[in-house]
Amino acid sequence: MRRSVGTGVFVCFILLLACAVPSLFCQAQQPAAAPAAAAAPVSYKPLTVDHIYSQPGLSGRLTRGIAWTPDSKQLSFFESKGAGKEAKTELWVMDVANGQRRLLLSADKLESVLPAGAERTTQATGLGRHAPAEYQWAPNGSALLFQGPTSLAWFDLKTQAVRTLVSGKETIADPKISPDGQYVSFVRNHNLWLAGVADGKERAFTQGGTEEVRKGELDWVYPEELEITTAYWWAPDSSAIAYLQMDESKVAQYPLVDFASPAGEAEEERYPPAGGGNPIVRVFVAPVGGGEAHAMDTGENPDIYIARVNWLTDAKHLAVQRLNRRQTVLDLLIADATSGQTRAALNETDQYWINVSNDLRFLKDGKRFLWSSERSGYRHLYLYDLEGKELAQLTRGEWEVSAVDAVDEAKGLVYFTGTAKSPLERHLYRVSFDGSAISRITVHNGTHGVNMAPDCAAFVDTYSDVTTPPRQDVARADGSLLRAMNENKVAELADYHLSAPQFLTVKAHDGTPLNAVMIKPADFEASKKYPVLVYTYGGPHAQVVLNAWGGNTGLWHQLMAQKGYIIFSLDNRGSAGRGHVFEEPIHYKLGAQELSDQLDGVAYLKALPYVDAGRIGIWGWSYGGHMTLHAMFEAGVDFKVGFAGGPVTDWHFYDSIYTERYLGLLPEKEKEYRASSPIDRAAGLKGKLLIAHGTGDDNVHFANTLSLINELIEHEKYVEVMPFPGRGHGVSDAPARKVLMNRVTQFFLDNL
């Protein structure tokens, strides 16, 4: 669920609201010089579900397809004009130094370059499925590679000529240009292939790949739960390719039934349930010039995870991160790419679980590497030599490094995103190799996403705050603004008189401070009593109390505030942003600590004079749906109404990597699985419950909801269920989303 129920469970709707609010929105908190007169009626344009979930949206539109040219001097990006069938897309480039923009490919030219059928739709939208890259720069900046579903095209910038490198009827995935620019590699028919850039000649790089034994191709669960994005890696000198071989023969095949098919057709999905067979994964290295593939020695136990693979800068050695099935021991192995012999350079252990990262960087000097660890309870950066000796700890404190963005070896600097300022925000920082001179680079309060130039001299900063939709700027490495790239101003928002979310801290009954956020109606009067709608996610790797634009979910909350509801969210223990130490209390007992913290939030609400304690509802999606069920089944006295979207109802149904990470192995932890599954408490339902689920959900299978319905029937309990035929985990297409959220709106209006 990582960014889903697996990272997997649940992160469809994570960004909510939070943070420093401009003084314009804080007047109600300022001391009054005299008794206030009765509040004048607030005049605003009412939000509607149809408008929120239609285009153009009220969050504006970000520039997409942004890519740095290899020389770091320019940025390329797509520019779209028009809407619907009349929309035209062009490829532009901007000179970073002077801001001049020029057309790179016109809409007509781009349509001729992009292989036919490049627009693809997918009904099953599990979060582990990654959309293909739309284009890539050649390493020398002289050409662009464009990808379609079954073909690849090469566009030469000097001659403006387009060549089809690869074409056919079979699906193509994960194309890459070799570091020397001589080849394009790709996955087809479960094998790796190479095509020469000069002549387009194709050849199979691996042989014998099948649906059951994949070579250089990822399965479903690895990208979903380990956040690994590829299954093969070019050596830095283009001499060889390292790849994963994934044997899926022991992995269960789960049928995703097409209910629109008269014949009951189904797509078989390799999905390893908790306690079931996992893919057996091995690492191979094969020379590009031809020759035998060599297996890297990852130990005798095949029931492990190969979490990450990286080449060292000498192109002769490989780093393999091996994780045990319990996910409590992570070994960094250094492998000889020719012989396959390995040695352990580093070992991490954790009594709870280990969260893998993408922070490993080998320095060009061939002697050192950058590593991140949560051994202190917070993820921080360390510098090691190749023998595994710690040379320096670069960051420290009760905050976390969220990601390594770039390493400037020439200047001895590491650029990273972190929470040193506040867990409610994400900022870019830099620190020297010896751990001194740490400094924050991004200036504006809020949440920043960073795309550093290859030479680390500049970066694209995509940021927002709780009252402002995201915008994109180009900044120098020191944070000073070069120029705005896309201000993304949405003037129409002013017409709706949106309420400014207010951040606050709620103390749990054991004294732990918990971050929360509240939205009050724009015409709020403290003398009145208001119903409250609690929004939750509650699970690992997700955070809803954040100083970031809330997107459509945040706008829907504003709609409900306009209708007279207070919106409240609290990040319980187990959620992201406050270090591994804040996650640990959920170990072996999903739902328990989370619900306890949420109930402390409810106790806070009930103590407020303007809250109607008898009218508190709750909703969430994915893990948030799972939490909604716990709340409705176990705390019916506190929650009158609930809406659960795409919920996990029984942890036996969810995938191995995510579930076993937190609940342990079966059958050893059967008791913990039962205690953590809300289905076993369905008899406790007292209030009104609405459930929505896509029948084509490849992440949290529809069986979760069907099993719960059956359990509720056994206890003669009625709930309203909205199945969405063929939709995936997010039920994200506009027509379905409008139908769903209109019903959810009315459901709360009728019952809360």
Side-chain angles (χ1 to χ4, degrees):
M1 291 184 201
R2 180 171 234 119
R3 291 173 197 217
S4 61
V5 88
T7 292
V9 176
F10 320 132
V11 173
C12 287
F13 306 3
I14 297 183
L15 296 177
L16 186 64
L17 327 151
C19 174
V21 207
S23 59
L24 172 65
F25 298 102
C26 296
Q27 294 173 2
Q29 300 178 7
Q30 297 174 359
V42 176
S43 176
Y44 58 83
K45 183 178 179 181
L47 285 161
T48 67
V49 167
D50 286 357
H51 194 170
I52 291 172
Y53 294 97
S54 296
Q55 293 297 328
L58 289 171
S59 295
R61 183 165 60 184
L62 290 176
T63 301
R64 63 186 183 91
I66 296 176
W68 286 96
T69 55
D71 62 7
S72 299
K73 295 180 179 179
Q74 297 178 313
L75 283 164
S76 55
F77 54 92
F78 288 120
E79 188 118 320
S80 297
K81 299 176 181 177
K85 294 181 179 180
E86 303 301 319
K88 294 290 185 180
T89 300
E90 301 171 331
L91 186 64
W92 285 71
V93 69
M94 182 181 75
D95 188 285
V96 174
N98 58 32
Q100 291 183 352
R101 304 185 182 208
R102 61 183 176 85
L103 182 64
L104 199 60
L105 281 89
S106 67
D108 292 340
K109 187 74 171 179
L110 193 58
E111 288 176 5
S112 69
V113 171
L114 282 171
E119 296 294 327
R120 49 166 78 173
T121 58
T122 304
Q123 285 187 317
T125 53
L127 294 174
R129 302 202 173 185
H130 298 277
E134 295 174 292
Y135 71 95
Q136 300 174 38
W137 282 92
N140 62 5
S142 66
L144 294 166
L145 175 70
F146 290 90
Q147 177 191 358
T150 63
S151 57
L152 300 171
W154 190 264
F155 178 67
D156 187 285
L157 290 171
K158 183 177 181 180
T159 65
Q160 296 288 293
V162 180
R163 290 188 292 119
T164 299
L165 276 184
V166 178
S167 64
K169 296 181 179 180
E170 301 295 334
T171 299
I172 286 174
D174 200 10
K176 298 176 187 175
I177 306 172
S178 63
D180 63 8
Q182 300 302 305
Y183 294 96
V184 172
S185 54
F186 57 95
V187 177
R188 183 172 63 192
N189 289 330
H190 313 295
N191 279 297
L192 274 175
W193 291 73
L194 297 181
V197 170
D199 56 13
K201 186 177 180 180
E202 298 178 28
R203 64 180 172 95
F205 186 73
T206 63
Q207 303 284 343
T210 64
E211 183 277 331
E212 194 172 79
V213 180
R214 307 174 185 203
K215 299 189 177 185
E217 179 186 43
L218 289 171
D219 66 344
W220 183 90
V221 74
Y222 259 57
E224 178 68 18
E225 306 303 2
L226 294 177
E227 294 190 309
I228 189 170
T229 58
T230 185
Y232 76 95
W233 302 264
W234 278 93
D237 63 359
S238 301
S239 63
I241 296 177
Y243 64 91
L244 300 183
Q245 176 180 286
M246 307 194 75
D247 184 345
E248 301 275 304
S249 58
K250 294 184 179 181
V251 178
Q253 289 186 293
Y254 189 89
L256 295 171
V257 179
D258 179 4
F259 291 103
S261 166
E265 296 175 1
E267 176 187 353
E268 296 288 341
E269 174 191 26
R270 294 281 182 179
Y271 189 98
N278 267 344
I280 303 301
V281 183
R282 301 177 68 192
V283 184
F284 287 86
V285 175
V288 172
E292 182 182 357
H294 298 279
M296 303 298 103
D297 181 6
T298 55
E300 296 181 359
N301 181 9
D303 199 10
I304 58 170
Y305 300 114
I306 302 298
R308 296 289 185 272
V309 175
N310 301 77
W311 281 95
L312 274 65
T313 55
D314 64 2
K316 297 178 180 179
H317 294 87
L318 206 63
V320 179
Q321 294 184 45
R322 177 183 65 192
L323 186 66
N324 68 330
R325 180 149 182 172
R326 290 181 183 271
Q327 300 176 65
T328 55
V329 179
L330 178 67
D331 298 307
L332 177 64
L333 306 178
I334 304 298
D336 184 294
T338 301
S339 69
Q341 293 181 343
T342 59
R343 63 176 177 85
L346 199 63
N347 171 268
E348 292 276 353
T349 61
D350 192 285
Q351 64 176 315
Y352 300 101
W353 70 85
I354 289 175
N355 295 310
V356 296
S357 78
N358 294 311
D359 298 336
L360 176 61
R361 300 287 192 282
F362 287 96
L363 303 188
K364 296 175 183 177
D365 64 13
K367 299 177 181 179
R368 299 172 295 172
F369 64 89
L370 185 70
W371 179 259
S372 75
S373 170
E374 292 181 311
R375 67 185 67 140
S376 67
Y378 300 86
R379 185 169 297 282
H380 284 296
L381 301 177
Y382 302 80
L383 193 65
Y384 283 87
D385 67 18
L386 292 184
E387 299 304 314
K389 178 184 177 182
E390 183 181 322
L391 302 176
Q393 181 175 349
L394 277 58
T395 64
R396 64 186 73 236
E398 293 185 354
W399 54 274
E400 66 178 20
V401 171
S402 306
V404 172
D405 296 293
V407 176
D408 187 340
E409 192 166 349
K411 296 181 179 179
L413 296 172
V414 179
Y415 293 87
F416 66 91
T417 300
T419 64
K421 178 179 182 291
S422 167
L424 302 182
E425 303 190 357
R426 298 294 184 273
H427 286 277
L428 178 66
Y429 299 83
R430 68 181 173 200
V431 64
S432 62
F433 283 178
D434 62 3
S436 64
I438 186 170
S439 60
R440 178 161 65 100
I441 294 174
T442 45
V443 176
H444 299 286
N445 293 337
T447 298
H448 297 256
V450 171
N451 181 354
M452 292 289 295
D455 65 359
C456 298
F459 63 94
V460 177
D461 181 15
T462 302
Y463 74 94
S464 70
D465 63 32
V466 73
T467 60
T468 313
R471 59 175 287 160
Q472 295 158 309
D473 291 323
V474 183
R476 299 179 182 88
D478 63 2
S480 59
L481 181 67
L482 266 170
R483 59 192 37 83
M485 187 170 187
N486 179 0
E487 295 183 278
N488 193 33
K489 293 182 178 179
V490 186
E492 186 183 356
L493 283 174
D495 298 337
Y496 295 96
H497 200 87
L498 303 184
S499 296
Q502 300 171 347
F503 291 91
L504 51 122
T505 300
V506 174
K507 279 195 174 182
H509 62 271
D510 64 359
T512 301
L514 304 172
N515 293 325
V517 62
M518 180 182 289
I519 304 173
K520 296 176 182 177
D523 55 359
F524 173 80
E525 295 181 29
S527 61
K528 291 185 177 181
K529 292 280 190 179
Y530 293 89
V532 178
L533 183 58
V534 174
Y535 172 64
T536 183
Y537 180 86
H541 312 295
Q543 183 179 356
V544 296
V545 183
L546 191 65
N547 186 16
W549 181 246
N552 288 344
T553 299
L555 287 166
W556 183 76
H557 286 154
Q558 293 283 348
L559 178 154
M560 296 303 287
Q562 286 186 347
K563 294 183 181 296
Y565 291 80
I566 289 174
I567 312 300
F568 179 81
S569 288
L570 177 145
D571 276 337
N572 51 252
R573 275 165 281 196
S575 35
R578 295 178 63 179
H580 190 38
V581 67
F582 195 72
E583 296 178 318
E584 292 164 1
I586 70 172
H587 197 223
Y588 292 158
K589 48 186 177 182
L590 294 180
Q593 183 66 62
E594 302 96 301
L595 182 58
S596 175
D597 287 348
Q598 292 294 333
L599 290 177
D600 286 336
V602 169
Y604 165 81
L605 290 171
K606 288 183 175 181
L608 297 174
Y610 48 80
V611 166
D612 186 338
R615 291 194 294 159
I616 298 177
I618 185 170
W619 87 279
W621 199 278
S622 198
Y623 202 102
H626 162 79
M627 283 302 304
T628 297
L629 297 181
H630 274 295
M632 294 300 295
F633 298 163
E634 300 170 48
V637 173
D638 298 288
F639 296 103
K640 182 181 180 183
V641 184
F643 163 55
V648 171
T649 66
D650 186 336
W651 286 108
H652 293 84
F653 289 166
Y654 203 61
D655 74 63
S656 57
I657 298 181
Y658 184 92
T659 313
E660 293 170 4
R661 181 185 301 152
Y662 307 116
L663 289 180
L665 304 183
L666 289 170
E668 175 187 336
K669 295 295 181 181
E670 176 63 30
K671 181 180 178 181
E672 286 77 2
Y673 275 70
R674 299 278 14 139
S676 298
S677 299
I679 192 170
D680 284 356
R681 292 166 174 75
L685 177 65
K686 295 181 175 65
K688 299 288 187 180
L689 177 61
L690 170 65
I691 301 173
H693 211 140
T695 67
D697 192 337
D698 64 345
N699 186 343
V700 182
H701 294 145
F702 189 53
N704 281 271
T705 288
L706 292 176
S707 295
L708 177 60
I709 293 171
N710 191 59
E711 185 70 17
L712 289 164
I713 290 172
E714 292 293 325
H715 295 286
E716 299 182 359
K717 301 285 186 177
Y718 170 78
V719 298
E720 180 180 343
V721 179
M722 295 184 72
F724 284 85
R727 269 65 175 194
H729 189 51
V731 187
S732 55
D733 61 292
R737 181 54 54 170
K738 290 177 186 178
V739 169
L740 169 63
M741 297 313 294
N742 270 312
R743 178 61 197 128
V744 172
T745 302
Q746 194 60 47
F747 179 76
F748 281 117
L749 291 175
D750 290 343
N751 297 293
L752 200 56

